[in-house]
Structure formats: C-alpha cells, structure tokens
Amino acid sequence: MEKPRVRIAGTHYLVELDGQDHYVSFRRCSCGRACQAVRLVAEYLANGGRPAPAGIPLPTLTVPKQCPLCGAEVKADHWLDGRKGCGWRCTQDPSHYWYVRLEPMRRWLQANRWSRKAVEQKAA
Ligand SMILES: [Zn+2]
Ligand SMILES: [Zn+2]
C-alpha cells in the first residue's frame, strides 16, 4: 500500500488515511482519535517537510477615526481588545466591527480553502 501523503491545508496538515481526510494541528487530529495521521505528520516534519503556517495572518487592530463601513463614529472597546491591539465599536451598528475584523480572515480562508480539490490544485 502506498504511504499516505501529508499536505498542508490552511494552518493544518491534511493526511488521507483509509479514504478519510484527517486534519492535524498541534499533534491533534480532526477525527478526535489518537490516530496514525499525527505520527505521519511528525515523520513528515522530521524529514524536512514544510511546516504549516502557525495561524491565520490578521492585520493589527487599531481604532479607526470612523467606521470603515458606514463612516459613523467609533468608540474604543476594550472588551474587544486582542493580543494584536485595541478593539472598537461602530456607534451605528456594532456588527460592523466584526465585519471589518473578519473580512481579511474570510478572504484568507477562501484563498486557503480546506477542500481537497484546492489543495491538489495548489500542489500541482
Ligand atoms: Zn485522524
Ligand atoms: Zn459602521
């Protein structure tokens, strides 16, 4: 039997085992079991395999002068502070913060889609 290949999918490693996709990250597998995929990833890295990116790259948080979506006043919101900076809240619609904040993540996920097809296209 051919040895299963380890590929990078987003921030995870994708291993196909027994016709099933296993997404491995930090020595844990998406299937929830102590499965072979984790060992295969460790082996792959030991053999000089390219490591997966550690996290989704997000821009630093800053409090804008006005809401980038609707132009309304924004207020710093320290409840939303993250490791990357300071959160803020749109006085018109608090969901605008999340939209602006998550948009880069959404685009990133789209570009690094977890589907096997996209991974294969990238590898080709
Ligand atoms: Zn697994
Ligand atoms: Zn707004």
Side-chain angles (χ1 to χ4, degrees):
M1 191 185 124
E2 206 192 316
K3 206 172 155 161
R5 276 172 61 205
V6 176
R7 281 171 294 180
I8 291 170
T11 57
H12 288 56
Y13 301 95
L14 168 60
V15 186
E16 277 178 62
L17 271 182
D18 310 323
Q20 227 200 318
D21 286 351
H22 295 254
Y23 290 98
V24 177
S25 181
F26 298 107
R27 298 186 158 273
R28 292 178 79 128
C29 183
S30 58
C31 71
R33 287 188 297 260
C35 85
Q36 252 208 78
V38 176
R39 195 177 55 77
L40 285 165
V41 169
E43 226 170 70
Y44 156 88
L45 288 172
N47 288 322
R50 192 162 66 92
I56 297 172
L58 284 176
T60 314
L61 262 179
T62 48
V63 182
K65 283 203 170 54
Q66 48 179 220
C67 174
L69 266 196
C70 68
E73 215 184 302
V74 300
K75 288 197 157 64
D77 189 331
H78 295 286
W79 284 106
L80 299 173
D81 283 4
R83 268 177 304 166
K84 293 202 166 205
C86 184
W88 52 272
R89 183 177 11 187
C90 172
T91 51
Q92 281 298 309
D93 186 341
S95 74
H96 288 173
Y97 167 81
W98 295 109
Y99 184 84
V100 172
R101 184 88 180 101
L102 296 180
E103 183 58 18
M105 195 190 288
R106 200 183 61 76
R107 276 202 304 262
W108 187 89
L109 285 172
Q110 222 163 38
N112 296 271
R113 220 188 274 277
W114 275 19
S115 82
R116 193 189 299 182
K117 219 172 162 189
V119 172
E120 265 161 18
Q121 274 167 5
K122 269 193 168 176

